[in-house]
Amino acid sequence: MTGAVPDPLPGWLTAARRVTALTGAGVSTDSGIPDFRGPQGVWTRDPEAEKLSTLSWYVADPGVRRRAWQERLHHPAWSATPNAGHAALVELQRQRRLRALLTQNIDGLHQRAGSDPALVLELHGTVHEVACLSCGERTPMRAALDRVGAGEPDPACERCGGILKSATISFGQALDAAVVDAAVAAATDCDAFLAVGTSLTVHPAAGLVDLAAAHGARVVVVNAEPTPYDTVADLVVREPIATALPRLLAAG
Ligand SMILES: [Zn+2]
């Protein structure tokens, strides 16, 4: 089925007691966070911007780091507020049906909406923390931005002098193995797997759909554009996320 949220909802969906959700940029665009990869994405319109998120450029070029810190000062995540899509996933948790919330988003809006941080797995890291590329120490982003604001254009690690970067996964940087392991466990141990607002073209996120389906989960895709997994899905919804998700995740 493709298109609108079915009414009534399929019985397998309302009966699902362990739902694993995977969210992508589409969940946060209604909160004013731009999609970096999509057809209107920041990187699509300004390939230079992609350098800021590429590890080799970031390490090699102090100019790239200074630009990256200026971008972080003005990141839309600082002023964004969660939307009805985030709230629908909090409601799923309140119904005790949420197995895990995997997200490709780095904005922390799921936690701010009220999702239990213990259930949120941030596959691409978080912009709310800074990580030292040498010693690995993690510190709050706010403190680093205060240093930038006070005149340090490229603040170094206060412990070891290493290069600091937002605790997000840049191109050329490995994902956190523990996070990926937990995501795989959640994909293989659910009744229903919801992919929301993601183009399902970036691994390992995309492969999680295969895993879930192979382990017997029903698959729901909610995305404005077609995805490579629409043919695998039991239900494909093209309605806007903020209006579709609250109805899809209503208690049965
Ligand atoms: Zn360090």
Side-chain angles (χ1 to χ4, degrees):
M1 263 179 79
T2 297
V5 176
D7 182 15
L9 294 172
W12 54 261
L13 181 55
T14 52
R17 287 292 167 267
R18 290 172 305 155
V19 179
T20 291
L22 165 67
T23 65
V27 174
S28 287
T29 47
D30 282 341
S31 292
I33 310 275
D35 178 0
F36 282 85
R37 299 173 195 268
Q40 298 301 318
V42 174
W43 291 336
T44 313
R45 288 181 283 116
D46 177 12
E48 274 293 297
E50 194 170 340
K51 278 189 183 177
L52 306 183
S53 298
T54 302
L55 188 64
S56 54
W57 280 108
Y58 191 86
V59 170
D61 187 344
V64 166
R65 294 200 293 278
R66 287 194 290 269
R67 275 182 65 199
W69 282 110
Q70 287 302 312
E71 296 269 319
R72 286 172 197 139
L73 270 182
H74 307 290
H75 198 285
W78 313 143
S79 55
T81 52
N83 63 63
H86 298 102
L89 289 157
V90 177
E91 169 63 16
L92 187 67
Q93 173 187 309
R94 200 193 59 74
Q95 296 168 14
R96 300 182 180 280
R97 297 166 66 208
L98 180 67
R99 168 64 176 79
L101 176 45
L102 325 179
T103 185
Q104 297 171 283
N105 299 336
I106 59 167
D107 50 45
L109 287 178
H110 285 302
Q111 295 93 324
R112 191 175 307 172
S115 286
D116 181 351
L119 293 178
V120 179
L121 296 170
E122 295 174 306
L123 293 166
H124 293 170
T126 176
V127 76
H128 292 278
E129 289 185 12
V130 162
C132 173
L133 295 178
S134 296
C135 75
E137 183 170 61
R138 287 172 74 117
T139 50
M141 174 62 79
R142 191 67 258 165
L145 292 182
D146 286 347
R147 291 172 64 191
V148 176
E152 288 184 71
D154 177 23
C157 176
E158 291 186 314
R159 186 208 259 176
C160 78
I163 293 173
L164 295 182
K165 189 178 80 63
S166 63
T168 54
I169 306 297
S170 296
F171 291 112
Q173 192 171 18
L175 302 187
D176 183 318
V179 173
V180 173
D181 286 350
V184 166
T188 55
D189 174 40
C190 62
D191 309 321
F193 188 95
L194 259 71
V196 187
T198 166
S199 60
L200 294 175
T201 53
V202 180
H203 283 272
L208 294 169
V209 184
D210 287 319
L211 265 178
H215 285 78
R218 299 282 197 152
V219 172
V220 181
V221 171
V222 185
N223 199 52
E225 309 287 331
T227 81
Y229 288 87
D230 290 1
T231 51
V232 175
D234 296 276
L235 176 62
V236 176
V237 172
R238 297 251 184 269
E239 286 187 61
I241 293 163
T243 56
L245 216 50
R247 283 180 288 138
L248 270 176
L249 301 181

